[in-house]
Amino acid sequence: MATVATSLRRHSNVREQLSERVVAVFLVGATLVGLLALVVLLVTVARSGAGQIDVPFLRNFASRIPERAGIWPPLVGTLWLMGLVTLFSFPVGVGAAIYLEEFAPKNRITSVIETNIANLAAVPSIIYGLLGLAVFYRALEMGRSLLTGALTLTLLVLPVIIISSREALRAVPRSHRLGAMALGATKLEAVYKTVLPSAVPGIMTGTILGLSRAIGETAPLLVAGAAAFVAFTPDNLLDAYSALPVQIFDWVRRPQPEFQALAAAAILVLLGVLLTMNSIAILIRNRYDRKTR
Amino acid sequence: MNVMTQRPNVLAPDLEDLVNEHETSVFEVRDLTASYGATPAIENVSLDIFDKKITAVIGPSGCGKSTFIRCFNRMNDLVAGAHVGGKIFYRGEDLYAEDVDAVEVRRRIGMVFQQPNPFPKSIYDNVAFGLRVNRMTDHLDDRVEKALQDAALWDEVKRKIKDPASALSGGQQQRLCIARALATNPDVLLMDEPCSALDPIATTKIEDLMHELKADYTIVIVTHNMQQAARVSDLTAFFSVEGSAETDRSPRGVLVEYDTTEQIFTAPNDRRTEDYITGRFG
Ligand SMILES: Nc1ncnc2c1ncn2[C@@H]1O[C@H](COP(=O)(O)OP(=O)(O)OP(=O)(O)O)[C@@H](O)[C@H]1O
Ligand SMILES: [Mg+2]
């Protein structure tokens, strides 16, 4: 019974083993490329920019003299934008997702709407800038205002929020809806009391992704009228404003190395804002995750 | 009392006696037909469900048992394309009349599903769910405790009532779902194969529970398990599939025989019933 004795040995021949190795190496390599790029980027930016970050840099206004230049107005502008975009896009996006997923009749019109939303998510951001320019800036006469910028970015993130929220809602088992309704809950109660709480983590993830995208966008803001130089911080919705990516873009364009360093520092601050925002969202998400398990 | 205005295909003579003697009908089902899109699922079903009795619905897979009991609490309304024809009277009231609120119906007629489906909330919040949506929140703690006691679950969970329901075993989860349905004091309890996901011990617990619940509730239970039907029920309805490709009609579920459980299991009137309960079906 020699066959039994050898049956536990590796059957695959050398070529098979080799190709398996090659694939594994390729996959690890592919992961490392992304990671490496990120590390290199962070290290370069941190080396040239970290030394620049101090209180005056954070609190100063824009200036032609690099030593006096700071990021206070764009920082405040970015925070404003984030707040406003969250305020506008979260309820509208989640509301639209709830309607489409839970209440909308399944017919031609809704399927056309669905396809459209999916396509909108793939539209280049500069197109949203043009839309903002045409609609908010010109037609609605909001001009170079914070509101124009916030509404433009809202349009940009809405498809992402709607799509990911719908996915989160769809992942909630139908048996929860049926169970709730069998207990005498109305459809609305079933959605708000069972489906939505379970979907919050997924909805938050989508919103984080959408807002993270918005916070780094430069093109639509440039097109829709953000300024690189503002002599004041905005304090109402119709004020002119700047934003960190716009400021970074402006500095990077300049030939002097001092401004390059400032840009690097501003990038670090932008990353800091982004990380803070994401951490808060993840905290909220985890809280809900624990509550609904 | 002439309850049976239109009788099932085969109605044992003593069933009418049963009706006349000591029962009030909770449901009067008359010529009930249900279909999904153009495909009929059950056709021309007529029977009565009696007060404070356990009625078992048995029959081969796909004969429309689930469809049938979903008609009682209008859960079929929630299935896209489902259509219900014929009449069901619930304590004399037409369940499918224009002005009947399906939500109100489901508050009176509770349902337990085949798979335990606790909400991803705490044990307490699961039981309180129906109470909250029905605005029965006075003495909430007491009501929750009572429901858990009625479902024979209280002793097992009283120390961890705020724990997530998902941490319970399958059998405990199913009893939690029963507690959840009982909390709002429904008039009728519909159970669609409540024990199919459970082991024999958990099954026994739920069967014992049903015997106790019988004092206060009318129960309709779908089951695949003949012994279970024989053990727990007072009356049994046997459904079967009729029509096929050969007869040029799409198959549909029909009520073959409805009688006391004793009669069905000892001396069925219909050949098909006999074949089914003796395992000679198909
Ligand atoms: N949601 C639905 N959409 C379309 N057809 C359905 C739906 N639910 C059930 N049916 C069909 O209706 C018929 C009866 O199904 P039903 O689930 O009522 O059978 P059942 O007797 O409960 O079967 P089982 O014992 O397997 O649970 C089947 O032919 C089934 O394919
Ligand atoms: Mg079924």
Side-chain angles (χ1 to χ4, degrees):
Chain A
M1 285 279 157
T3 48
V4 174
T6 58
S7 68
L8 287 178
R9 300 275 163 89
R10 253 184 219 137
H11 284 298
S12 49
N13 56 31
V14 179
R15 262 182 65 186
E16 265 175 37
Q17 285 181 32
L18 196 73
S19 65
E20 219 166 279
R21 284 274 163 78
V22 169
V23 170
V25 167
F26 175 77
L27 294 179
V28 171
T31 316
L32 286 183
V33 168
L35 216 61
L36 205 70
L38 187 68
V39 170
V40 169
L41 185 83
L42 278 179
V43 169
T44 345
V45 172
R47 271 184 37 200
S48 57
Q52 305 282 335
I53 301 176
D54 49 16
V55 176
F57 174 72
L58 293 176
R59 294 302 309 251
N60 280 357
F61 287 60
S63 165
R64 283 174 209 292
I65 306 154
E67 294 76 49
R68 281 201 220 144
I71 54 161
W72 186 241
L75 178 59
V76 173
T78 285
L79 294 177
W80 263 99
L81 281 178
M82 280 307 87
L84 290 173
V85 172
T86 311
L87 203 69
F88 297 153
S89 64
F90 190 71
V92 176
V94 176
I98 292 175
Y99 174 73
L100 286 173
E101 198 55 41
E102 307 287 339
F103 295 98
K106 305 273 174 277
N107 57 25
R108 285 279 293 281
I109 301 170
T110 43
S111 79
V112 167
I113 292 178
E114 276 162 27
T115 321
N116 257 307
I117 291 174
N119 285 333
L120 281 177
V123 167
S125 61
I126 195 158
I127 309 286
Y128 282 99
L130 292 172
L131 182 68
L133 180 67
V135 177
F136 305 125
Y137 191 120
R138 301 235 170 92
L140 299 174
E141 297 181 354
M142 293 172 186
R144 301 174 160 274
S145 67
L146 204 47
L147 196 57
T148 302
L151 290 173
T152 305
L153 290 182
T154 298
L155 292 184
L156 182 81
V157 301
L158 267 179
V160 180
I161 295 185
I162 294 175
I163 290 170
S164 50
S165 301
R166 287 193 62 183
E167 253 144 45
L169 291 169
R170 207 172 308 152
V172 179
R174 197 171 140 70
S175 66
H176 292 179
R177 296 172 177 81
L178 293 180
M181 295 187 72
L183 288 168
T186 61
K187 193 150 187 196
L188 200 64
E189 285 170 329
V191 169
Y192 275 87
K193 295 185 175 169
T194 64
V195 180
L196 210 50
S198 308
V200 163
I203 290 175
M204 291 301 287
T205 309
T207 309
I208 296 168
L209 278 177
L211 291 179
S212 305
R213 181 176 172 201
I215 197 176
E217 282 294 348
T218 321
L221 291 183
L222 281 175
V223 175
F229 275 104
V230 279
F232 52 86
T233 54
D235 53 24
N236 76 58
L237 293 183
L238 293 175
D239 274 351
Y241 70 103
S242 184
L244 281 173
V246 174
Q247 182 68 69
I248 293 166
F249 177 68
D250 182 67
W251 278 338
V252 168
R253 276 192 314 176
R254 292 163 191 256
Q256 301 97 312
E258 293 87 348
F259 281 115
Q260 302 299 321
L262 287 180
I267 288 172
L268 288 177
V269 174
L270 181 61
L271 284 176
V273 174
L274 197 70
L275 282 180
T276 315
M277 197 179 83
N278 284 5
S279 321
I280 294 171
I282 288 170
L283 274 180
I284 300 177
R285 187 181 74 185
N286 289 351
R287 262 191 59 138
Y288 259 92
D289 229 3
R290 217 171 311 124
K291 249 193 0 208
T292 58
R293 198 156 312 123
Chain B
M1 190 168 72
N2 186 16
V3 183
M4 292 288 188
T5 47
Q6 271 164 302
R7 290 171 196 170
N9 305 352
V10 183
L11 181 67
D14 46 326
L15 186 61
E16 199 154 297
D17 300 342
L18 198 76
V19 174
N20 291 332
E21 273 169 31
H22 47 269
E23 316 294 345
T24 33
S25 297
V26 178
F27 292 107
E28 294 156 63
V29 181
R30 297 293 174 265
D31 265 332
L32 186 73
T33 297
S35 53
Y36 297 100
T39 322
I42 50 173
E43 206 168 69
N44 291 334
V45 175
S46 299
L47 53 70
D48 278 31
I49 301 290
F50 300 113
D51 198 25
K52 309 271 190 294
K53 295 282 168 210
I54 299 180
T55 306
V57 178
I58 61 171
S61 184
C63 68
K65 304 180 296 293
S66 300
T67 305
F68 176 63
I69 73 162
R70 281 201 300 263
C71 291
F72 290 119
N73 64 343
R74 294 192 52 169
M75 284 303 270
N76 280 330
D77 293 15
L78 306 178
V79 179
H83 177 79
V84 175
K87 295 256 181 260
I88 298 185
F89 296 97
Y90 165 65
R91 298 201 180 273
E93 235 184 301
D94 183 359
L95 261 190
Y96 284 82
E98 280 286 324
D99 55 348
V100 167
D101 182 3
V103 170
E104 203 54 51
V105 170
R106 294 184 203 120
R107 287 178 184 176
R108 310 261 184 91
I109 301 164
M111 184 164 208
V112 176
F113 296 80
Q114 179 165 358
Q115 295 291 333
N117 59 345
F119 303 127
K121 301 173 185 290
S122 69
I123 295 169
Y124 183 96
D125 286 338
N126 261 279
V127 182
F129 187 92
L131 294 167
R132 289 188 174 127
V133 299
N134 292 305
R135 300 187 179 75
M136 298 162 72
T137 47
D138 53 312
H139 310 294
L140 192 61
D141 290 358
D142 297 340
R143 287 177 188 266
V144 169
E145 181 179 337
K146 169 88 168 47
L148 285 166
Q149 265 164 356
D150 286 350
L153 188 61
W154 175 248
D155 289 333
E156 286 155 72
V157 301
K158 63 184 170 199
R159 261 178 280 282
K160 50 177 183 178
I161 194 108
K162 297 283 180 195
D163 283 10
S166 55
L168 296 175
S169 75
Q172 290 172 327
Q173 286 186 14
Q174 193 62 302
R175 274 179 287 148
L176 178 67
C177 291
I178 295 174
R180 193 170 75 177
L182 294 179
T184 52
N185 282 323
D187 182 22
V188 182
L189 197 57
L190 306 171
M191 304 173 115
D192 192 351
E193 299 185 42
C195 303
S196 67
L198 306 182
D199 68 52
I201 294 175
T203 301
T204 311
K205 278 200 174 147
I206 291 188
E207 286 178 8
D208 292 346
L209 178 60
M210 289 174 68
H211 277 298
E212 280 171 31
L213 294 176
K214 204 172 93 170
D216 301 310
Y217 299 91
T218 303
I219 298 176
V220 183
I221 177 176
V222 173
T223 177
H224 263 139
N225 182 330
M226 291 309 122
Q227 286 83 29
Q228 180 168 64
R231 279 193 301 263
V232 300
S233 68
D234 303 299
L235 296 117
T236 298
F238 171 63
F239 281 71
S240 187
V241 185
E242 204 174 66
S244 64
E246 300 113 59
T247 56
D248 219 36
R249 296 172 84 222
S250 58
R252 61 210 60 206
V254 291
L255 175 65
V256 173
E257 191 167 353
Y258 179 46
D259 211 324
T260 58
T261 299
E262 198 191 337
Q263 188 76 28
I264 291 271
F265 281 91
T266 54
N269 264 313
D270 196 287
R271 201 39 218 284
R272 291 167 291 176
T273 316
E274 194 181 335
D275 286 352
Y276 186 75
I277 57 170
T278 53
R280 258 177 293 155
F281 180 81

